[in-house]
Amino acid sequence: MDMNGGPRIVGFLCNWCSYAGADMAGTSRMSYPPNIRIIRVPCSGRVDPLLVVKSFQQGADGVLVAGCHPGDCHYTEGNYYARRRFALLRPLLDFVGIEQERLRLEWVSASEGRKFSRAVASFQEELERLGPRGHRG
Amino acid sequence: MSRFLSLDGLLAWLDGLLKEGTVVVAPTLVEGVSLYQPVPAAAEIDLDGGATVLSPKEWLFPQSHTLFTVERRDGAAELKEGTFDGRAVLFGLHPCDALGVHLMDVPFLAEPADASYRERRERTALVGLSCTRCRPECFCTSMGTAPDDPAHLDVMLTPVEGGYAVAAASEKGEALLASAVLEEKAVPLPEPPVPDRLPTEDLPRVFRALFGHAYWGRVADRCIHCNICSYVCPTCYCFDVRDYSRGNTAERVQSWESCQAPGFARIAGGYEPRPSKAAKMRQRFAHKFLYFPEAFDGPLSCTGCGRCVRSCPVNIDIREIIGDLQRIGVSSVGSGEKQD
Amino acid sequence: MVEEVRDKARELLSAGTVECVIGYERATDGITARPLFAYSPEEADRFILDRTCVHNLARYLLDRKGKPTAVVVKPCDSRTINLLVHENQIERDKVFAIGVTCPGVVEAHWGETTEGLQSRCGSCPLEVPVVYDHLITVPGERQPRTGFPELEKLEAMSPQERLEFWQQQFQRCIRCYACRQVCPGCYCPICFVDQLDPMWVGIKIAPPENQVWHLIRAFHLAGRCIECGECQRVCPVNIPLMLLNQKLTAEVEGMFDFRPGLDAETLPPFATFRKEELEAER
């Protein structure tokens, strides 16, 4: 649990699109839940499943990975690899008791501040519905 | 020996100890795997099983534990040591494992003693169980003990009809038995089983002579350099210590390590003193049969429990190696290729 | 057919075609098998071949890079050769594969074997090795392919039940890394668990760290695991590791119609992509 009582969310946002999108949400004063801790990465393709699993091990209730829309990746194809990777990681996590819904992949462009803030809000709702993680680790 | 403890009496005695807060560490089945663990009730003890997969060294020298934590609070640092301040009984030790505890005492209690080990050791009583049968991998008599050897134990139990013949082997043991309901009864002790003997005569000298022999490369060909042999062994004791910090807390963790692991011997600059498979694999046997006896002026660092024989995925068999070394013999020094 | 193995080995060694033939010999318990590295025709006399020959010998090719080596491979083991050739770890022309057909192998641990076959043999899609330079036909009928029945049991549980199941399994893990060391797909010069900076896992042996270890290792093998089952066999505390690998194998096959090691050319799923395909979220 976050110190505000909400679920702890770790967000890996790609520098070029989704981080800028989140930034836009902020500058446009669109509110989104404060319990997401954002980590900027160059590309969603950089997000190693190890980072996700480690986040869960350290107490995260949910992990959000956000990148450019397919076809718009700043590095051309990073997000295509990310898409495959997380398509496979979610069932693996589910298989060991970490519900699939706790790992989310979103495509957020630099101008989609509203999409970002809605995504975080809906993720938070989902995580509240699922409840806190059963055991740590 | 004329004291008898019935099976029910044994369970009652141990449950009594548990009730007063003593930790009872005994062989128990964990999802079908026999391991030494603290048990919640005497009924959980696997009394008839063979050897556990891991040795009881786990209790005195945990796989992984926190030596101390440091917390920074209001500008001051508070250190909390990871102590064990209870009482424990290590129950069901076969003589090979009792010898194992004694061999662990040698490096860990020599001055300056390892504080964590000593604390646990002093607070733990050792209750042994004599062997009624030998497993195919046993060779304890070649390592200076025997299936009915009470040495290094506080209490020795020998399975007999309906229960156990009991002997206290120390004051600690006598005190421990005070709460047990013992009968004065003449109980005939069974003939102990007889494991196979290995030619361990003069092993350190033979080992030193054959240190550079090509034999090691041949055995090491199939070694996969995991940590299994070192971890199941009652007398392997290498460990690593590392500090972890997070925010205002730091903890120092000690954990088992194996000479077989990649990077075990690597030093700053990336130099590997044991780069070849042969050198790596040989190291474990060198420690047991050469370095340990030389450093501590005495016994081989092996108890004949056979766990490494049973658990090695590629059948590197310490008994075979001892036999091979003697067979190759000191006389053939110089006829093998030089290793590293 | 064991004479065929010995004859071929003697032939290869006498002719100098290879420096070493890796096969099986009887272990010291008189019941199970162990790897034998034969360097001379005389040593080849010790080779055996039967249902206790469970080891994946192709893994040892990683220790013998560049050295001409012959290796006895069952169908599952032969997939290793394709995997390692594709990933540029071994040279195909330095390997002489003595392929053997396989009716299945038993559970074999020192001192004992089972009557029945290993459960993974029921999921094996092959009867003949996928790559070989010489083929030896072993008599015996194969079990028909039955999918992954143990997976279904777990998938029927609730997430909480699965969480507890795996907690119990990972509690026993002693991080001996035998699973990693025996696996032909694990050959990183420095494994992520051994990295010091950043220290992803560290030396603490506890269920949370153990889970990170097993999940990430399984993921590193996703689309690469050739299902030899060695990881599960070597585990000294009987953790059902193949469940993790089989889960990923089933997912990879379902999503990408791919099973690794069947040839040395097809790009594995994580090395490629299609512009229009599955959406991972929700």
Side-chain angles (χ1 to χ4, degrees), chain C residues 115-192:
Chain C
E115 272 300 306
L117 300 179
Q118 292 188 16
S119 61
R120 69 181 177 98
C121 296
S123 317
C124 179
L126 304 166
E127 294 195 69
V128 178
V130 292
V131 54
Y132 55 83
D133 297 296
H134 178 82
L135 182 67
I136 295 171
T137 307
V138 169
E141 259 185 52
R142 264 207 68 240
Q143 259 186 338
R145 190 186 160 169
T146 53
F148 301 121
E150 286 95 2
L151 273 189
E152 289 162 26
K153 233 184 288 176
L154 262 144
E155 272 157 355
M157 295 182 193
S158 71
Q160 183 64 26
E161 286 171 330
R162 278 198 293 271
L163 190 80
E164 280 160 15
F165 173 82
W166 286 108
Q167 282 282 110
Q168 277 204 303
Q169 306 307 317
F170 296 140
Q171 199 127 48
R172 293 197 306 287
C173 176
I174 58 175
R175 301 261 285 287
C176 65
Y177 298 123
C179 48
R180 170 186 77 182
Q181 296 299 112
V182 82
C183 176
C186 280
Y187 52 75
C188 288
I190 296 184
C191 178
F192 77 93

Side-chain angles (χ1 to χ4, degrees), chain A residues 22-93:
Chain A
D23 206 42
M24 197 205 145
T27 53
S28 312
R29 304 289 180 262
M30 297 177 209
S31 78
Y32 60 82
N35 23 330
I36 178 167
R37 302 290 189 270
I38 291 172
I39 297 164
R40 184 169 60 112
V41 294
C43 177
S44 54
R46 187 265 176 269
V47 185
D48 189 330
L50 176 58
L51 299 176
V52 174
V53 171
K54 193 86 182 133
S55 302
F56 283 120
Q57 188 234 330
Q58 301 278 45
D61 296 297
V63 175
L64 172 69
V65 178
C68 310
H69 286 263
D72 297 339
C73 177
H74 182 82
Y75 302 100
T76 321
E77 49 199 43
N79 54 359
Y80 290 130
Y81 294 119
R83 186 169 60 181
R84 283 203 167 191
R85 232 175 264 154
F86 295 111
L88 216 56
L89 185 58
R90 296 174 88 233
L92 179 63
L93 289 172

Side-chain angles (χ1 to χ4, degrees), chain B residues 221-222 244 251 255 317, chain C residues 28 34 37 39 60 203-204:
Chain B
D221 267 338
R222 63 184 187 272
Y244 293 76
E251 61 175 334
S255 176
D317 190 324
Chain C
T28 54
R34 73 181 188 191
F37 288 64
Y39 294 89
Y60 291 112
I203 63 172
K204 230 191 254 185

Side-chain angles (χ1 to χ4, degrees), chain C residues 187-203:
Chain C
Y187 52 75
C188 288
I190 296 184
C191 178
F192 77 93
V193 287
D194 292 330
Q195 272 186 307
L196 292 173
D197 184 25
M199 189 156 63
W200 296 114
V201 182
I203 63 172

Side-chain angles (χ1 to χ4, degrees), chain B residues 14 16 28 35 44 69 93 108-109 172 203 215 217 222 234 282 286 333 337-338:
Chain B
L14 293 173
T28 184
L35 297 168
E44 299 287 316
T69 51
L93 293 175
F108 277 113
L109 296 182
K172 204 181 200 179
L203 198 51
Y215 172 75
R222 63 184 187 272
R282 177 186 59 198
V333 168
E337 290 162 39
K338 247 347 190 170

Side-chain angles (χ1 to χ4, degrees), chain B residues 148-334:
Chain B
D148 58 348
D149 186 358
H152 317 301
L153 290 164
D154 295 307
V155 174
M156 179 59 147
L157 301 178
T158 304
V160 294
E161 182 84 43
Y164 301 86
V166 181
S170 72
E171 271 178 39
K172 204 181 200 179
E174 197 59 68
L176 195 68
L177 286 169
S179 58
V181 177
L182 301 170
E183 299 168 44
E184 288 293 321
K185 194 160 131 175
V187 214
L189 295 180
E191 272 297 306
V194 182
D196 291 335
R197 284 229 52 147
L198 300 176
T200 51
E201 300 76 41
D202 227 8
L203 198 51
R205 191 174 72 90
V206 172
F207 201 104
R208 184 174 279 290
L210 297 177
F211 194 82
H213 201 279
Y215 172 75
W216 297 110
R218 298 303 308 274
V219 181
D221 267 338
R222 63 184 187 272
C223 178
I224 60 171
H225 301 290
C226 60
N227 302 343
I228 288 179
C229 51
S230 312
Y231 284 13
V232 300
C233 175
T235 63
C236 277
Y237 56 84
C238 281
F239 61 86
D240 195 5
V241 179
R242 224 171 271 182
D243 292 338
Y244 293 76
S245 70
R246 218 170 125 183
N248 282 319
T249 325
E251 61 175 334
R252 178 161 293 176
V253 176
Q254 177 188 38
S255 176
W256 288 356
E257 214 187 8
S258 168
C259 52
Q260 301 305 303
F264 174 83
R266 191 188 304 135
I267 57 180
Y271 174 65
E272 293 263 9
R274 290 194 280 266
S276 66
K277 284 170 61 88
K280 272 208 250 304
M281 194 225 69
R282 177 186 59 198
Q283 166 59 20
R284 179 164 179 268
F285 301 107
H287 183 263
K288 293 189 159 326
F289 300 140
L290 180 59
Y291 305 142
F292 186 92
E294 283 192 346
F296 297 106
D297 201 24
L300 303 174
S301 178
C302 176
T303 67
C305 71
R307 286 187 176 89
C308 59
V309 175
R310 190 166 271 274
S311 294
C312 176
V314 296
N315 190 222
I316 290 177
D317 190 324
I318 196 171
R319 307 165 308 162
E320 190 182 26
I321 289 175
I322 292 171
D324 286 345
L325 290 175
Q326 299 283 23
R327 204 178 28 82
I328 295 170
V330 178
S331 60
S332 74
V333 168

